[in-house]
Amino acid sequence: MIEISDIRTQLETARQKGILEFEQTDSPQTLYEKRTKYLGKKGEVKAVLRGLGALSPEERPQIGQLANEVADALEAAYQNRLAQLKSSESELRLTKDEVDITLPGTWTRRGAYHPLMRTQYEIEELFYSMGYDIAEGPEIESDYYNFEALNFPPDHPARDMQDTFFTKSGHVLRTHTSPVQIHYMETHKPPLRMIAPGRVYRCDSDITHSPMFTQIEGLVVDKNITFCDLKGTLEFLIHKFFSPDTITRFRPSYFPFTEPSAEVDIAVTDSSGHVTGWLEVLGCGMVNPAVFEAVGYDPERFTGFAFGLGIERFAMLKYGIRDIRLFYENDIRMLKQFR
Ligand code: PHE
């Protein structure tokens, strides 16, 4: 004979056991299986209700009500645990995939033009804007292009072993970019305007001289080109490259391939603007008629000017670099200052 108290006990036990089991379950899948074990069609609560027939009509509603209460309690415990599991699951996913935005990023160092390239490009741009062609020539030259066609007498000291690197085959490493003048005039007819940047070599080395350095040659040939054109062009260059109030001085000089020749100095001033010294920045002059003859131009019809500047010297003056070797060591601490 089933007593109503037994059924009550069964229901209360199911409630307690069920709630405990739900709380101890760690996966939503198992939790659902547990829910079925208690609340499913063949679950423990339904099984108790099947025994209801043995009770009296007065007892039945009491048990029915208790069974509903137990079922509700179990359902609530189930929902509660399910919500807990879901939130900890998404929390876990968050911590697993977490990106710590306070950590330093992966740095890509930004590149920079080498100060010599930067100086070269800046000067090229200036002349390009004035319609100049940008030309190049070989670094290994014959004596003819480096000296003879440029009107160097056979006994000129610049041909001496002291200054010039000779190759075994009797060629020279060009000592200046002036041979590009000859190559260019051999292949072009006047009027012409060109600059020619490139490496040059001299047997010389100290903090302001390097056995290899770079120059930019300039050449303009036309009818009626005068020294005024040369002066105006170089002053434009210096004022643009350094500063509009840079003071320049044209000092008479000598080069075999220009006549007259000059060297251009820029003034060094103190804080009150007084000139305290001069720095030589380039060589220039009017193209020597002997050079026009060497390339087959008529010196009676054409005149021209030429100049040659050291890129290192321009860069050293502009950026306050004291030692020329810094350009070639490629120490990143020096180069990154030009970003
Ligand atoms: N070639 C000369 C030098 O290297 C510079 C120069 C070029 C001078 C053109 C006059 C004209 O010193």
Side-chain angles (χ1 to χ4, degrees):
M1 174 74 187
I2 299 173
E3 296 284 333
I4 183 166
S5 59
D6 292 341
I7 297 181
R8 277 189 201 282
T9 312
Q10 276 175 32
L11 282 171
E12 287 303 343
T13 311
R15 186 202 314 241
Q16 281 170 25
K17 258 177 58 201
I19 290 172
L20 198 71
E21 273 186 46
F22 291 171
E23 275 169 5
Q24 287 167 351
T25 303
D26 286 329
S27 93
Q29 172 68 29
T30 340
L31 184 65
Y32 188 74
E33 284 161 14
K34 296 258 154 99
R35 181 188 180 275
T36 314
K37 180 178 161 199
Y38 289 96
L39 296 169
K41 276 187 189 141
K42 294 171 185 165
E44 291 192 18
V45 178
K46 287 269 155 55
V48 174
L49 293 177
R50 247 172 254 127
L52 233 58
L55 299 176
S56 69
E58 301 84 61
E59 288 169 331
R60 273 180 220 160
Q62 292 175 33
I63 291 303
Q65 201 194 335
L66 181 63
N68 284 336
E69 273 173 39
V70 170
D72 287 349
L74 284 167
E75 180 62 26
Y78 165 78
Q79 291 297 345
N80 194 29
R81 183 63 186 156
L82 186 64
Q84 275 178 11
L85 288 182
K86 281 198 172 151
S87 76
S88 65
E89 196 187 344
S90 65
E91 240 165 62
L92 197 73
R93 207 181 309 126
L94 277 178
T95 35
K96 212 168 53 183
D97 298 347
E98 192 176 35
V99 175
D100 185 350
I101 57 164
T102 65
L103 288 173
T106 319
W107 289 92
T108 311
R109 264 191 283 221
R110 194 149 50 100
Y113 283 123
H114 188 282
L116 291 178
M117 289 315 288
R118 180 170 160 161
T119 302
Q120 178 183 324
Y121 289 152
E122 213 175 298
I123 296 170
E124 282 181 2
E125 192 113 332
L126 273 173
F127 283 99
Y128 193 76
S129 75
M130 294 192 284
Y132 283 61
D133 191 10
I134 296 169
E136 275 180 12
E139 290 174 28
I140 300 172
E141 280 290 9
S142 62
D143 179 273
Y144 178 78
Y145 284 100
N146 197 78
F147 297 123
E148 199 181 323
L150 290 163
N151 195 38
F152 278 83
D155 58 351
H156 193 281
R159 296 180 178 218
D160 200 298
M161 298 292 285
Q162 295 280 307
D163 301 310
T164 310
F165 289 112
F166 292 91
T167 70
K168 283 195 184 120
S169 59
H171 287 78
V172 300
L173 296 188
R174 66 177 179 191
T175 56
H176 52 178
T177 43
S178 298
V180 188
Q181 289 187 32
I182 307 299
H183 289 292
Y184 197 87
M185 287 191 280
E186 281 179 350
T187 51
H188 296 77
K189 283 189 159 62
L192 62 86
R193 274 175 288 194
M194 71 83 161
I195 56 166
R199 293 193 185 89
V200 300
Y201 303 85
R202 281 180 207 178
C203 202
D204 203 354
S205 186
D206 59 43
I207 70 159
T208 56
H209 295 87
S210 152
M212 184 222 75
F213 61 106
T214 46
Q215 287 189 329
I216 295 181
E217 192 76 11
L219 175 69
V220 172
V221 181
D222 202 344
K223 289 173 181 152
N224 305 315
I225 296 292
T226 69
F227 200 90
C228 287
D229 298 314
L230 170 63
K231 229 183 145 182
T233 305
L234 293 179
E235 273 178 353
F236 174 77
L237 163 70
I238 287 162
H239 289 159
K240 283 280 187 185
F241 185 81
F242 294 108
S243 119
D245 37 51
T246 306
I247 301 162
T248 59
R249 172 173 87 172
F250 284 70
R251 179 170 41 78
S253 185
Y254 174 78
F255 299 102
F257 38 95
T258 48
E259 183 58 38
S261 302
E263 274 168 305
V264 178
D265 300 334
I266 62 173
V268 188
T269 50
D270 62 18
S271 53
S272 52
H274 291 113
V275 177
T276 55
W278 297 92
L279 284 165
E280 179 199 323
V281 292
L282 59 82
C284 62
M286 301 306 291
V287 179
N288 192 317
V291 175
F292 283 152
E293 265 154 25
V295 296
Y297 283 10
D298 182 355
E300 297 298 322
R301 286 179 66 207
F302 297 106
T303 54
F305 67 74
F307 61 87
L309 63 87
I311 300 179
E312 284 79 356
R313 171 148 287 214
F314 267 56
M316 285 169 91
L317 288 173
K318 182 159 176 169
Y319 300 118
I321 298 165
R322 295 266 162 87
D323 188 335
I324 198 168
R325 289 166 296 199
L326 288 169
F327 289 125
Y328 315 114
E329 282 165 0
N330 288 330
D331 185 329
I332 201 81
R333 291 168 300 179
M334 143 95 172
L335 298 180
K336 75 179 180 191
Q337 297 175 55
F338 292 87
R339 280 199 291 237

